[in-house]
Amino acid sequence: MSTFRFKSVEEASGRKPVEVKLPDTDVRKYYAKNVFNRQKMFEYLPDAVFKELVEAIDNKRPINRMTADAVAEGMRRWAIENGARHYTHWFHPLTDGTAEKHDSFIEHDGKGGVIENFSGKLLVQQEPDASSFPNGGLRNTFEARGYSAWDISSPAFILNNTLCIPTIFISYTGESLDYKTPLLRALNSVDKAAVRVARYFDPEVKHVNSFLGWEQEYFLIDEALYSARPDLMLTGRTLMGHESAKNQQLEDHYFGAIPKRVEAFMLELEYEAHKLGIPIKTRHNEVAPNQFELAPIYEETNLANDHNLLIMSLMSEVASRHNFRVLLHEKPFDGVNGSGKHNNWSLGTDKGTLLFSPGKTKEQNLQFIVFVANVMAAVHRHNALLKASIMSATNAHRLGGNEAPPAIISMFLGQQLTEIFEKLEANESNINFSPGDGMDLNVAQIPALMLDNTDRNRTSPFAFTGNRFEFRAVGSSANCASAMIALNAAVASQLNQFADIVDKRIGDGEDLHSVILDEVRILLKKSRDIRFDGNGYSEDWTKEAARRGLDTQTSAPLMFDAYLSADSIQMFEETGVFSKVELYARNEVKWEMYTKKIQIEARVLGDLAINHIIPAATRYQSLLLDNVYKIKNLFPEAKAHDIAAQDMKGIEVIAHHISEIRLLVDTLIESRKVSNRLTSEREKAISYHDNVCPLMDRIRYHIDKLELMVDNEIWPLPKYREMLFIR
């Protein structure tokens, strides 16, 4: 049996670490070089076309065919001048990844040759063969037709000599088959709803934008080690492996000096990202060994989401040039922290006002409190839905593991804001209100309120952090759109309800500011159960959350049911984000994807257990048996018994683990067969969760015990101590 022993990058891969030399240290000279942004539009489009396109983007309206033709021609010239020979509609199918089909610019010239051409029709709409993408029953397998349509709000870019045009992806009958379509719907909905409320304080507001700042955590592993672990290659995580004697317990990796090889990778990644207009700003070591994080400057949510998907793709490409593999799985290694993707979310007006940021006047602070109170109400009402929006087969390994938020959605506000809200709730006498002067809480901090003065609660899945909310439960491999769709839609629905009540009351002659304050108090009282500033990891909190009526479900397949609750369906339909048909289809996809991921893991685990682990353990067991026979032949019986006793004990323990693994793998196979015979995707996912996953944990237990006993030279897989410390 061949064994793997890693010694060095050069020896294992035959390649030396890459030295990165940037063409220029001034980022401004190459930033957004490969993006058809407004500067490029101004250079390559006629003045009238440029103005028409910018106005359409800013006012969120479509462009006409004549404008599209002109934009397509300018975009083609720019792309070809910068080395592109193909174009693609770049979209986000329901796989958490991206998709693209490349076409060249050539067309027949009618004379036996070709010309390079790119029309507005090809820019605006394509018809890719999309029969194999998840659709949840919206189409039959033989119905391949689907449409991709240009999203003018996200600029085109050149990647690997291909012009990439961000698009939505819908079925022939108009249902969404992607993440971008419902995200744009949700952003449009929260824009309109938030404008209604913002105009109570500033009638000149025209638009409210949603902003997102994601923090991408990831692991790096040497490519040679990755290739020697079939479980990592096929599932993204290690299905077995005893924790290293040293892992993260010394906390010496967190914010430590970045290893030189990793820094070279980060430098090239930042360079490639900056050329694509991705404003990467932060990089650092994370808590677990080999774990790192990068984060950009905040952007409009749709663009930020495109950039996150693009950076995940770039990371893999750049890592391969540095003899690394990027692991985006939420829990690639047991016993150390997993990876998340904190989503920092905020709302801001077209006049530059951040709605979750306290102001310098009483009026601005009242607006701040109104929007925060409405977010609280939305998160309280839809806490089960928000949890479902971030759940997956992979993120289920991470949540609640004393490293990430628990699988219960609660909100952390901090001491100062909590005290203010409690005063408002209680309608205390020292809270005065004057319609002409705005709101006076008679609290010293309020006129110049600074709310980023409270320590963060790392156990809170949804925390207020000064001028934004941090949705910390999102998984590292996820498409941010899933969480942003649910959050923005829920907030839009709540803001509309708030505005409907306020409009009715002021229509009946009541004072605007008095009504607003009354309704805020009502929201605060109704949603106070969502507020929790304590330890989210404690068992007491789980009990307390259940008492408060918050969703405490721990089964991922059952969490997905929240999408199909009457309240969720009504909310999504009212906001225009999802139809009932689309919701049912998406849940079919969620259950199906959950099942398939667990199914693949189970098959890989069974294969490794039978074909790798048991043969290695048996080989070592044979060596021990051979040693016992030799001892008995060389020593007197009494002495031989004493000497061989320890080996005999080890032989028996190994035999026990081997026997248990064989039995459990057979049971695992039968359990999969039983689950696979179920016709309902929901019931199948539940069966895999309840019956297959526990068997996998039991198999891993016995394998990990064997790893501690079997000769290191015989063990067939790289161990954690080899994988988790980059040399």
Side-chain angles (χ1 to χ4, degrees):
M1 179 184 295
S2 61
T3 59
F4 180 88
R5 294 272 72 82
F6 177 78
K7 294 183 179 179
S8 68
V9 175
E10 292 85 348
E11 181 183 276
S13 66
R15 293 182 292 174
K16 293 185 178 180
V18 177
E19 291 186 12
V20 178
K21 294 183 179 180
L22 299 184
D24 201 307
T25 56
D26 188 347
V27 178
R28 294 171 298 177
K29 293 183 178 180
Y30 58 82
Y31 188 81
K33 172 186 175 183
N34 292 338
V35 183
F36 195 67
N37 56 14
R38 296 194 182 196
Q39 178 185 346
K40 311 296 193 318
M41 293 175 190
F42 181 77
E43 294 176 11
Y44 284 85
L45 301 180
D47 288 345
V49 174
F50 170 75
K51 292 177 182 177
E52 173 70 18
L53 180 58
V54 169
E55 185 179 350
I57 293 171
D58 289 344
N59 293 290
K60 303 180 181 182
R61 63 175 180 79
I63 60 174
N64 59 41
R65 177 60 182 275
M66 186 178 298
T67 300
D69 282 336
V71 172
E73 174 56 25
M75 193 182 291
R76 181 192 66 82
R77 288 191 295 109
W78 168 76
I80 290 177
E81 287 177 15
N82 286 274
R85 287 295 178 266
H86 291 77
Y87 66 91
T88 182
H89 274 198
W90 184 79
F91 57 96
H92 314 165
L94 301 178
T95 58
D96 281 340
T98 59
E100 52 196 69
K101 176 176 72 75
H102 298 187
D103 288 297
S104 69
F105 290 110
I106 64 170
E107 301 285 350
H108 284 299
D109 65 356
K111 304 173 184 177
V114 294
I115 58 172
E116 290 184 317
N117 183 47
F118 188 49
S119 67
K121 179 181 178 181
L122 295 175
L123 167 63
V124 171
Q125 181 176 312
Q126 289 279 284
E127 186 182 324
D129 180 353
S131 59
S132 294
F133 286 118
N135 64 78
L138 287 176
R139 298 172 302 154
N140 294 312
T141 302
F142 58 83
E143 295 173 329
R145 181 170 292 178
Y147 293 118
S148 53
W150 179 31
D151 170 19
I152 65 172
S153 64
S154 185
F157 55 91
I158 296 174
L159 182 64
N160 296 329
N161 297 320
T162 298
L163 172 65
C164 299
I165 303 158
T167 63
I168 64 170
F169 179 48
I170 59 175
S171 72
Y172 177 68
T173 50
E175 290 90 1
S176 164
L177 296 173
D178 66 343
Y179 282 106
K180 183 182 276 285
T181 303
L183 177 61
L184 291 174
R185 293 171 181 168
L187 297 179
N188 183 59
S189 181
V190 79
D191 174 15
K192 293 179 179 178
V195 164
R196 292 182 64 190
V197 177
R199 283 179 177 171
Y200 295 143
F201 307 95
D202 183 353
E204 301 300 317
V205 171
K206 295 180 180 178
H207 289 290
V208 169
N209 293 313
S210 169
F211 295 100
L212 170 63
W214 41 264
E215 302 169 28
Q216 181 70 59
E217 295 176 344
Y218 61 97
F219 281 84
L220 288 176
I221 183 172
D222 282 295
E223 190 169 41
L225 290 166
Y226 173 86
S227 299
R229 290 286 308 219
D231 49 354
L232 271 179
M233 293 176 64
L234 297 176
T235 73
R237 75 179 182 107
T238 53
L239 301 176
M240 60 195 70
H242 198 281
E243 66 180 62
S244 172
K246 179 185 184 298
N247 47 50
Q248 66 185 46
Q249 65 265 51
L250 296 179
E251 298 178 339
D252 52 344
H253 185 70
Y254 189 50
F255 277 28
I258 300 172
K260 290 299 181 183
R261 287 179 56 206
V262 176
E263 188 175 9
F265 156 75
M266 290 177 168
L267 185 62
E268 184 179 357
L269 177 63
E270 289 169 0
Y271 171 65
E272 295 296 338
H274 289 158
K275 286 197 298 181
L276 289 166
I278 306 173
I280 297 300
K281 184 176 179 68
T282 300
R283 67 187 188 194
H284 63 83
N285 291 2
E286 255 301 333
V287 176
N290 283 23
Q291 188 185 34
F292 307 93
E293 180 181 299
L294 60 86
I297 300 170
Y298 294 11
E299 299 177 286
E300 185 275 327
T301 297
N302 178 46
L303 179 60
N305 190 56
D306 280 357
H307 281 169
N308 180 248
L309 290 167
L310 189 52
I311 200 72
M312 289 195 290
S313 176
L314 276 178
M315 289 167 75
S316 296
E317 181 181 328
V318 173
S320 67
R321 296 199 287 268
H322 293 260
N323 309 321
F324 284 131
R325 286 285 184 153
V326 172
L327 303 181
L328 292 174
H329 193 289
E330 283 75 7
K331 191 74 170 177
F333 302 103
D334 196 34
V336 297
N337 279 15
S339 297
K341 179 154 48 193
H342 300 176
N343 278 205
N344 294 277
W345 169 78
S346 63
L347 296 175
T349 70
D350 56 342
K351 299 184 71 177
T353 300
L354 288 177
L355 297 174
F356 301 143
S357 181
K360 296 182 179 179
T361 68
K362 299 171 183 178
E363 189 84 1
Q364 291 170 340
N365 284 331
L366 176 58
Q367 176 176 255
F368 157 72
I369 287 172
V370 164
F371 275 92
V372 172
N374 274 278
V375 172
M376 281 180 55
V379 173
H380 177 251
R381 180 178 178 184
H382 297 286
N383 70 93
L385 174 66
L386 290 175
K387 184 167 70 173
S389 75
I390 56 85
M391 185 46 60
S392 65
T394 53
N395 205 20
H397 294 286
R398 164 181 167 261
L399 293 183
N402 289 333
E403 64 191 77
I408 301 171
I409 298 297
S410 63
M411 288 183 67
F412 170 80
L413 298 178
Q415 181 180 352
Q416 187 181 69
L417 190 54
T418 297
E419 290 176 356
I420 292 170
F421 280 179
E422 286 175 349
K423 287 180 178 291
L424 282 168
E425 266 188 71
N427 196 16
E428 294 186 8
S429 58
N430 65 339
I431 300 178
N432 302 314
F433 177 71
S434 171
D437 298 331
M439 182 179 63
D440 183 3
L441 295 178
N442 199 22
V443 178
Q445 301 98 312
I446 291 299
L449 197 60
M450 296 296 292
L451 286 168
D452 201 10
N453 62 355
T454 303
D455 192 16
R456 298 186 186 186
N457 185 335
R458 65 187 297 272
T459 73
S460 176
F462 199 91
F464 179 73
T465 55
N467 60 4
R468 62 194 182 276
F469 288 93
E470 186 177 17
F471 198 178
R472 302 182 66 250
V474 183
S476 53
S477 67
N479 187 322
C480 296
S482 181
M484 290 295 100
I485 291 165
L487 178 58
N488 283 285
V491 171
S493 175
Q494 173 56 43
L495 288 171
N496 277 326
Q497 291 179 33
F498 180 83
D500 287 344
I501 295 172
V502 172
D503 288 350
K504 184 179 185 306
R505 289 184 63 180
I506 62 175
D508 292 338
E510 296 186 61
D511 176 75
L512 171 63
H513 290 83
S514 297
V515 168
I516 287 175
L517 199 55
D518 284 346
E519 293 303 322
V520 165
R521 288 193 179 101
I522 292 171
L523 292 181
L524 293 178
K525 290 178 181 179
K526 285 184 177 180
S527 60
R528 72 168 7 257
D529 283 339
I530 199 67
R531 303 203 308 254
F532 179 68
D533 291 358
N535 180 8
Y537 296 152
S538 70
E539 293 183 8
D540 290 341
W541 166 234
T542 301
K543 297 175 183 177
E544 172 64 15
R547 187 192 66 77
R548 294 186 184 190
L550 303 181
D551 188 276
T552 58
Q553 180 59 250
T554 58
S555 167
L558 292 177
M559 289 182 196
F560 298 148
D561 288 342
Y563 274 97
L564 302 182
S565 71
D567 203 23
S568 294
I569 292 174
Q570 180 182 2
M571 182 272 290
F572 280 124
E573 288 188 326
E574 284 179 352
T575 54
V577 175
F578 286 124
S579 68
K580 189 174 183 179
V581 171
E582 287 175 318
L583 282 172
Y584 273 91
R586 281 171 185 263
N587 258 35
E588 288 291 301
V589 172
K590 288 179 180 295
W591 287 315
E592 182 182 12
M593 294 298 287
Y594 179 89
T595 296
K596 287 180 176 179
K597 287 183 178 181
I598 304 300
Q599 185 182 68
I600 291 169
E601 287 187 353
R603 295 177 67 179
V604 171
L605 179 61
D607 172 57
L608 289 177
I610 299 300
N611 297 315
H612 291 68
I613 303 305
I614 288 180
T618 302
R619 182 182 177 192
Y620 181 60
Q621 186 183 48
S622 297
L623 290 176
L624 292 180
L625 284 168
D626 185 56
N627 189 53
V628 169
Y629 284 125
K630 290 177 180 177
I631 288 173
K632 287 185 176 181
N633 289 331
L634 289 173
F635 295 95
E637 182 177 348
K639 191 171 185 180
H641 180 273
D642 293 337
I643 296 174
Q646 194 63 34
D647 279 350
M648 287 301 301
K649 183 178 179 180
I651 290 167
E652 291 174 2
V653 174
I654 290 173
H656 167 71
H657 289 309
I658 290 175
S659 176
E660 287 296 306
I661 291 171
R662 289 189 189 277
L663 178 62
L664 288 169
V665 169
D666 288 342
T667 306
L668 180 70
I669 293 171
E670 290 305 313
S671 182
R672 282 189 3 240
K673 290 179 179 178
V674 171
S675 299
N676 292 339
R677 284 195 287 267
L678 297 172
T679 56
S680 163
E681 291 295 345
R682 179 179 182 273
E683 295 305 315
K684 190 183 298 184
I686 292 172
S687 181
Y688 264 87
H689 174 274
D690 294 349
N691 303 317
V692 175
C693 288
L695 289 169
M696 294 173 62
D697 292 338
R698 292 171 62 189
I699 293 170
R700 176 172 190 154
Y701 168 81
H702 291 287
I703 292 176
D704 290 355
K705 289 296 183 182
L706 285 176
E707 182 182 318
L708 293 177
M709 300 181 67
V710 174
D711 186 340
N712 189 62
E713 291 298 320
I714 295 175
W715 194 253
L717 302 173
K719 298 181 179 181
Y720 275 24
R721 67 167 184 261
E722 297 167 307
M723 293 187 288
L724 278 176
F725 300 94
I726 290 176
R727 297 165 175 81

